[in-house]
Amino acid sequence: MEALAYSDLLINEVVEADVIVLAVPVHNFSIPSTLKAWIDHIVRAGRTFSYTSNGPKGLVAGKRAIVVLASGGVCSHGPAKPLDFHEPYLRAVLGFIGITNVDVVRVEGLANRAIGPEKALASATAQSKQLLAQVA
Ligand SMILES: Cc1cc2nc3c(=O)[nH]c(=O)nc-3n(C[C@H](O)[C@H](O)[C@H](O)COP(=O)(O)O)c2cc1C
């Protein structure tokens, strides 16, 4: 009962939001377990998706999500791209509940010698400004 009440609380937050921003560090090619726990609370049959005769249907309509992905390496392209399980997974699970308007900002290469935190942040700031100009 307590778990259900907590799930309701988290789902209500999502339903009441216009824009959902997820700030996500990449952990072992995927998302942190805490974010996975949040997902497991908000992806709920009858509340955020339903089963229909045509298959599952997302019930969270009209939302926009911005996913900020921080990673030590470069995962959006190049040799580590096949290890990018985080962006496809987040797009899939958000899409599953009906959130298909998803933009991704990358703060990547934080531990890469040729990039590092300063350049990664500058790139992410530029991506964010571009995105916010579209949203506004
Ligand atoms: C447990 C753990 C696993 C990580 N796995 C990855 C990984 O698979 N790929 C990657 O590019 N960075 C990985 N990183 C680096 C983090 O993504 C990076 O440190 C984080 O986005 C930046 O946050 P911080 O400045 O708080 O460390 C990992 C970090 C930790 C702590």
Side-chain angles (χ1 to χ4, degrees), residues 23-110:
V24 186
V26 172
H27 281 178
N28 297 315
F29 321 119
S30 187
I31 62 167
S33 53
T34 43
L35 179 58
K36 179 61 166 55
W38 178 78
I39 288 168
D40 293 342
H41 275 101
I42 65 151
V43 179
R44 215 171 97 201
R47 285 299 313 272
T48 53
F49 75 95
S50 64
Y51 293 111
T52 72
S53 48
N54 295 322
K57 180 176 180 286
L59 299 176
V60 186
K63 310 285 177 199
R64 176 174 204 136
I66 299 173
V67 177
V68 182
L69 280 170
S71 56
V74 174
C75 311
S76 65
H77 60 277
K81 175 74 181 147
L83 299 175
D84 177 359
F85 299 101
H86 29 284
E87 180 175 340
Y89 171 67
L90 287 171
R91 283 189 183 278
V93 80
L94 289 169
F96 186 75
I97 60 169
I99 305 173
T100 50
N101 187 357
V102 179
D103 286 293
V104 171
V105 171
R106 293 274 187 168
V107 194
E108 63 182 351
L110 288 162

Side-chain angles (χ1 to χ4, degrees), residues 8-20 47 60-63:
D8 283 337
L9 183 87
L10 296 180
I11 288 172
N12 290 344
E13 276 181 359
V14 169
V15 169
E16 284 164 19
D18 297 320
V19 181
I20 294 144
R47 285 299 313 272
V60 186
K63 310 285 177 199

